[in-house]
Amino acid sequence: MYLDKFERFDEIYIQCHDNPDADAIASGYGLYCYFCSTGKRVRFFYSGENPITKPSLLLMIEHLHIPIEYVDKPIRCGLLLTVDCQYDGGNVTHMEAERIAMIDHHARCVPADEWCLFREEYGSCCTVVWELLQEKGFDVNRDTELATALFYGLYSDTGCLSEIYQPMDRKLRDYLEIDRSVMDELVNSNLTRQELQIAGEALSQYMYDENLQCAIIRTRACDPNLLGVINDLAIQADTITLSVVYSETSIGYKFSVRSNLNEARASGVAQYISEGIGTGGGHVNKAGGFILKKLQEEKYPGKDFEQILCDKIWEYSLQD
């Protein structure tokens, strides 16, 4: 069993990707609860430019008593376990660790060994973690707060449960015994009024390529999770089959990709856009990435980011 590898460690550090979403927080929390139950000393954290600001995630952490920390300085540790991400994948702040393990549900984009577990066919990392905990006889329903967290993680990463195609995702959905009142509050606290305004402005001023049926949408500075919210709405338009939403940061551009086309996989588009200037990846329909301004300016002197996006998407469409 995969979790048997951790038995010889007394102390375990669990790290979510930067700007964590509900799936990352919940899956990390599941592992935190399990390791604590075995007597381990566990620290659960995330890093990045900014701490969490999304209302639903703050409520999730508060109501479900999730002991996740934000750290803005490097941590030195023996064993580091990254969850819902891949170390060196571009969206995880580097820490100093003697041993690195990974649990993820995205396509592998880094070198891997026996300490890495990837289940890219699963819709949620919560499902991967639940399967591991079941193997060890750890019943998540003994803790309603943990069960609710896992359900919200699954809900958030599968389009409000509308994109559950894998049997294990369905089993997790049906198995969990949750606090319905907390879940309802989380679902209805996804945006602040300011974020609603940002989303409205972005959606009212987008670029559209009729030949590619592609929309490119720029937002002003915002929580990176908002990019996905905007994109989930944009891709529902009947004539948009590929959508890219991006916002500028002090050092680069965060972007989100959505696709309804098998020939234009969101993960492939994200990787192609970021090749040589950043990182990108994800799933067939949903992906994202980050572009470093320094690398962009070196590779594409004189071009702004939006023009680079247009050119790269057009080039990608011409591939066999």
Side-chain angles (χ1 to χ4, degrees), residues 9 71 74 77 82 89 141 156 192 212 257 290 317:
F9 293 90
V71 300
C77 57
T82 65
N141 279 336
S156 300
T192 64
L212 298 178
V257 182
F290 188 80
S317 72

Side-chain angles (χ1 to χ4, degrees), residues 8 80 88 112 115-116 215 218 224 250 255 260 277 285 301 320:
R8 63 185 175 89
L80 177 66
D88 283 334
W115 289 88
C116 302
R218 176 172 184 154
S250 59
F255 68 91
N260 289 332
I277 56 174
N285 303 116
D320 292 334

Side-chain angles (χ1 to χ4, degrees), residues 100-165:
I100 297 172
M102 309 177 207
I103 297 176
D104 194 17
H105 72 120
H106 299 96
R108 183 169 69 87
C109 62
V110 299
D113 57 20
E114 70 276 7
W115 289 88
C116 302
L117 180 68
F118 304 136
R119 292 282 188 270
E120 61 181 279
E121 70 274 18
Y122 289 3
S124 165
C125 195
C126 286
T127 307
V128 184
V129 168
W130 176 62
E131 187 175 43
L132 294 174
L133 299 186
Q134 276 199 311
E135 290 177 353
K136 300 299 293 182
F138 185 85
D139 185 4
V140 299
N141 279 336
R142 289 180 297 184
D143 183 342
T144 303
E145 291 181 345
L146 173 56
T148 304
L150 291 172
F151 189 89
Y152 187 52
L154 176 67
Y155 175 93
S156 300
D157 246 36
T158 58
C160 306
L161 304 178
S162 67
E163 300 168 1
I164 291 184
Y165 308 117

Side-chain angles (χ1 to χ4, degrees), residues 9-305:
F9 293 90
D10 296 323
E11 188 172 55
I12 299 173
Y13 285 69
I14 301 172
Q15 182 180 7
C16 295
H17 56 73
D18 299 350
N19 304 303
D21 54 16
D23 189 38
I25 295 170
S27 52
Y29 182 44
L31 291 165
Y32 173 91
C33 291
Y34 168 72
F35 287 127
C36 285
S37 76
T38 64
K40 309 290 186 187
R41 296 190 303 275
V42 190
R43 188 172 180 185
F44 181 30
F45 70 97
Y46 70 98
S47 190
E49 284 192 72
N50 300 296
I52 293 168
T53 59
K54 190 175 183 181
S56 59
L57 297 182
L58 293 174
L59 286 173
M60 176 189 185
I61 292 167
E62 177 186 355
H63 288 344
L64 303 179
H65 302 98
I66 298 175
I68 190 170
E69 306 172 53
Y70 170 68
V71 300
D72 57 3
K73 296 179 181 178
I75 289 175
R76 184 189 297 271
C77 57
L79 175 65
L80 177 66
L81 172 57
T82 65
V83 182
D84 194 36
C85 56
Q86 297 169 36
Y87 200 75
D88 283 334
N91 63 341
V92 185
T93 297
H94 281 202
M95 302 295 164
E96 296 183 37
E98 297 173 14
R99 161 62 61 186
I100 297 172
M102 309 177 207
I103 297 176
D104 194 17
H105 72 120
H106 299 96
R108 183 169 69 87
C109 62
V110 299
D113 57 20
E114 70 276 7
W115 289 88
C116 302
L117 180 68
F118 304 136
R119 292 282 188 270
E120 61 181 279
E121 70 274 18
Y122 289 3
S124 165
C125 195
C126 286
T127 307
V128 184
V129 168
W130 176 62
E131 187 175 43
L132 294 174
L133 299 186
Q134 276 199 311
E135 290 177 353
K136 300 299 293 182
F138 185 85
D139 185 4
V140 299
N141 279 336
R142 289 180 297 184
D143 183 342
T144 303
E145 291 181 345
L146 173 56
T148 304
L150 291 172
F151 189 89
Y152 187 52
L154 176 67
Y155 175 93
S156 300
D157 246 36
T158 58
C160 306
L161 304 178
S162 67
E163 300 168 1
I164 291 184
Y165 308 117
Q166 217 281 339
M168 284 301 294
D169 291 320
R170 292 196 292 270
K171 287 182 180 179
L172 177 59
R173 175 198 62 192
D174 298 338
Y175 176 81
L176 293 172
E177 298 172 4
I178 68 171
D179 185 326
R180 178 57 62 181
S181 63
V182 171
M183 184 64 193
D184 289 344
E185 185 172 0
L186 297 180
V187 169
N188 293 311
S189 303
N190 212 30
L191 300 175
T192 64
R193 291 201 307 272
Q194 182 184 21
E195 288 175 330
L196 185 64
Q197 182 177 359
I198 292 172
E201 290 172 357
L203 288 166
S204 66
Q205 302 176 24
Y206 64 90
M207 289 180 56
Y208 180 70
D209 186 308
E210 189 169 351
N211 292 320
L212 298 178
Q213 293 191 310
C214 172
I216 295 178
I217 305 169
R218 176 172 184 154
T219 77
R220 49 190 171 99
C222 62
D223 186 308
N225 288 298
L226 183 60
L227 304 185
V229 174
I230 295 171
N231 224 353
D232 287 339
L233 182 59
I235 199 64
Q236 295 182 55
D238 61 348
T239 59
I240 295 177
T241 56
L242 178 67
S243 177
V244 179
V245 180
Y246 74 95
S247 65
E248 184 175 0
T249 74
S250 59
I251 61 172
Y253 299 90
K254 180 73 177 175
F255 68 91
S256 166
V257 182
R258 297 291 185 268
S259 173
N260 289 332
L261 296 172
N262 288 331
E263 60 269 29
R265 295 167 59 99
S267 57
V269 173
Q271 290 167 2
Y272 194 77
I273 288 171
S274 60
E275 185 178 6
I277 56 174
T279 58
H283 295 289
V284 174
N285 303 116
K286 297 183 177 183
F290 188 80
I291 303 299
L292 285 165
K293 287 181 179 177
K294 180 181 178 181
L295 296 180
Q296 172 213 320
E297 291 165 358
E298 290 174 356
K299 188 170 183 178
Y300 303 102
K303 278 191 176 182
D304 64 28
F305 183 64

Side-chain angles (χ1 to χ4, degrees), residues 212 313-320:
L212 298 178
I313 291 171
W314 182 257
E315 290 172 14
Y316 186 86
S317 72
L318 298 177
Q319 296 184 119
D320 292 334

